[in-house]
Amino acid sequence: MLRERLRASAAHVGVALKEPEAFALHWHRQGMPYPWSVFLALALTAILGTTTYGMIMGLLAGPERMLAGGLFCTLAAGIGWGLALPALYILNSLTGSRLRASTTFLAALVTTSWGGLAMIASVPIAWFFTAALPQDVRLFALHFSRETAVLAVHLVVFAGVGISMCDVFRRVMQALEPERGYWPAWLLKPVRAIGGGLFHQFDFVQFTALGWI
């Protein structure tokens, strides 16, 4: 029984990551067809992605910074979404949405799970540049340290994953309510603002260590 439930949950998660619009529409139209284990699996995917990539970000600073990076990255992402999600639902409702709270939560969870998977896929890129770049990096007339170059790689990855997550959330919300267009995607701004503030508070990207602030 447990094995069958886990297999069914894994199949649902696969659909959520491959076809997030269809996954959310099925929930919206059929009531509540997914068990709690599906929500847990989606959340664990997001947590695994942020923790893994956060650890890679601390690779140059040793094991302690790797553990702290995994923790801080997951905390920043979790708190950012956790604080912004109620505001997102309220603002979405005030602007004309008729979605249930559970549907909005599912759309956000699918988005974060997809983002977690994208961060896992980005780990080899970050690891390659961390290991391959020399101590003194030169790009044409520019000279900067390896730490600065690796940080630039991480910021590019975060920007790419963030843009992709916005696109996934937009597509899911547009599939649920086609008449509202792209408007719900703008409601993710509080998530970016809170997450960015927490990254700065935790010194997660180590601007202080680089002497930038």
Side-chain angles (χ1 to χ4, degrees):
M1 183 66 180
L2 179 60
R3 181 178 298 178
E4 293 179 359
R5 181 175 296 179
L6 291 175
R7 187 175 300 172
S9 298
H12 285 311
V13 171
V15 173
L17 297 175
K18 292 179 181 178
E19 302 178 23
E21 302 99 317
F23 180 81
L25 272 175
H26 185 60
W27 172 273
H28 184 56
R29 292 173 177 173
Q30 301 298 323
M32 298 181 179
Y34 306 130
W36 63 268
S37 55
V38 174
F39 286 81
L40 178 61
L42 289 171
L44 288 176
T45 303
I47 292 171
L48 179 62
T50 54
T51 302
T52 303
Y53 197 88
M55 293 179 69
I56 289 295
M57 288 191 72
L59 189 61
L60 290 176
E64 290 186 4
R65 186 64 193 182
M66 289 179 66
L67 293 175
L71 176 62
F72 291 158
C73 186
T74 302
L75 276 178
I79 294 174
W81 278 95
L83 292 180
L85 189 57
L88 187 152
Y89 173 71
I90 293 171
L91 290 173
N92 202 31
S93 299
L94 289 175
T95 54
S97 175
R98 294 294 179 265
L99 295 178
R100 302 191 308 269
S102 62
T103 303
T104 304
F105 174 72
L106 182 67
L109 190 58
V110 168
T111 302
T112 56
S113 181
W114 196 97
L117 191 67
M119 296 194 79
I120 294 174
S122 302
V123 165
I125 299 173
W127 178 84
F128 170 79
F129 281 101
T130 302
L133 288 174
Q135 191 67 37
D136 183 25
V137 180
R138 300 189 179 191
L139 182 63
F140 302 110
L142 300 176
H143 295 244
F144 36 84
S145 66
R146 178 173 62 175
E147 289 78 6
T148 304
V150 170
L151 176 59
V153 172
H154 292 318
L155 293 178
V156 169
V157 168
F158 272 108
V161 172
I163 292 171
S164 299
M165 289 175 68
C166 287
D167 181 65
V168 170
F169 186 77
R170 177 194 62 80
R171 284 162 37 204
V172 170
M173 297 300 284
Q174 191 172 21
L176 292 169
E177 295 183 311
E179 68 280 1
R180 287 175 51 75
Y182 298 156
W183 166 248
W186 291 100
L187 300 178
L188 291 181
K189 284 189 175 181
V191 178
R192 295 194 292 269
I194 296 172
L198 289 171
F199 275 26
H200 179 273
Q201 183 66 30
F202 292 149
D203 192 23
F204 177 57
V205 289
Q206 294 186 283
F207 290 138
T208 303
L210 292 172
W212 290 10
I213 58 174

